[in-house]
Amino acid sequence: MSVMTTALRESLKTLRLSGMLETLDARLTQAQKGELGHVDFLQVLCQDEITRRETVASERRLFKAKFEQQATLEGFDFNASPKLPAAQIRDLAALRWLHSGQSVILFGPVGVGKTHVAQALGHLAIRQGAGVRFTKTSRILAKLAGGHADRTWDKRIRELIRPDLLILDDFAMRQLTAPQADDLYELVSERQANASDHSAATPAPPRSASVLTGTTPCRPPAGARAARAAGTGRRGT
């Protein structure tokens, strides 16, 4: 190892460019073989660093999402329930609704795969750089109720407004109390207002949206899209 290479390694460590540091030997070998020119050498090292940072950021978003399982549409068996609206679900996978600040309601019988599809849409959103949060609706309502008790309601609802995509599983599964209905209304309203506050850009950034899953259709928020999951049940919800 030359003195210059050693100095370069130390510089990369100081700048915390570990993506470059990890691939430096391989890139130097390519350059020595004449496979990379000076500019190409620098470009691929920069791309290595970008790739590492994107991977780390994606892993961090996955952790914060708190998914129940690592569900993807690639791993979903549409043949298990042939009456599922596969074309509509694949259309949702394009995430145009997310970028326009719309919400999605997935409803149908227990066990047809609503929760899997909802989490899979969340995974796709994370791949595009969106912040996602997955949770049971009952837990959100309990969290907000606790905020009334200890006067941290404003702080708790801000945490739920922050993610670009909020996935509420088992929505409208049971009758809500008046305070629960008020809290849910405030949450949906605040997230809808947050979506409207985003300025337009090209390409459009992720905007505040929600995915709701439930066994019966409910009155959708303004601008929400509904997808009915018909057919017989399968493992999962």
Side-chain angles (χ1 to χ4, degrees):
M1 185 182 298
S2 67
V3 174
M4 185 175 295
T5 302
T6 301
L8 177 57
R9 288 181 180 280
E10 290 303 317
S11 296
L12 293 177
K13 288 181 181 178
T14 300
L15 294 171
R16 298 182 180 180
L17 298 174
S18 58
M20 290 184 174
L21 190 60
E22 290 172 2
T23 61
L24 180 60
D25 288 339
R27 301 311 184 193
L28 284 172
T29 298
Q30 287 181 286
Q32 290 165 358
K33 291 180 178 179
E35 298 175 4
L36 296 174
H38 294 88
V39 175
D40 294 331
F41 174 74
L42 181 58
Q43 178 60 50
V44 294
L45 273 181
C46 288
Q47 187 57 53
D48 291 338
E49 180 62 30
I50 291 171
T51 299
R52 183 197 69 83
R53 294 190 181 194
E54 289 178 343
T55 299
V56 170
S58 180
E59 291 174 348
R60 187 180 299 117
R61 290 193 297 273
L62 276 172
F63 177 78
K64 289 182 177 180
K66 302 184 185 300
F67 291 126
E68 291 182 342
Q69 61 186 116
Q70 300 302 310
T72 63
L73 284 184
E74 294 89 343
F76 186 78
D77 184 10
F78 286 97
N79 294 324
S81 191
K83 291 186 179 181
L84 281 174
Q88 191 173 5
I89 291 172
R90 292 191 176 98
D91 179 63
L92 292 175
L95 300 184
R96 287 183 289 270
W97 52 274
L98 174 61
H99 291 285
S100 61
Q102 293 180 308
S103 294
V104 172
I105 298 174
L106 304 174
F107 66 92
V110 173
V112 296
K114 301 182 300 298
T115 299
H116 185 115
V117 171
Q119 291 181 102
L121 292 175
H123 270 271
L124 290 172
I126 284 175
R127 294 177 198 174
Q128 291 195 11
V132 178
R133 175 72 185 278
F134 172 89
T135 185
K136 298 292 185 184
T137 303
S138 58
R139 292 175 187 167
I140 287 295
L141 294 175
K143 181 181 179 73
L144 291 175
H148 289 295
D150 62 9
R151 299 183 180 181
T152 60
W153 188 88
D154 288 339
K155 177 182 178 181
R156 296 187 186 202
I157 200 167
R158 282 197 302 270
E159 292 175 356
L160 298 172
I161 295 171
R162 189 176 301 120
D164 301 305
L165 174 60
L166 177 64
I167 302 175
L168 298 181
D169 196 26
D170 292 341
F171 182 78
M173 290 286 286
R174 58 182 61 87
Q175 186 78 24
L176 299 179
T177 65
Q180 288 176 330
D182 288 342
D183 282 343
L184 196 57
Y185 174 80
E186 289 295 331
L187 175 59
V188 173
S189 297
E190 288 293 332
R191 287 188 57 79
Q192 199 71 26
N194 193 45
S196 301
D197 288 341
H198 281 278
S199 59
T202 304
R207 305 174 72 181
S208 297
S210 304
V211 172
L212 314 175
T213 75
T215 56
T216 56
C218 53
R219 188 178 186 87
R225 299 177 59 180
R228 183 174 187 272
T232 57
R234 62 186 287 276
R235 187 175 181 182
T237 58

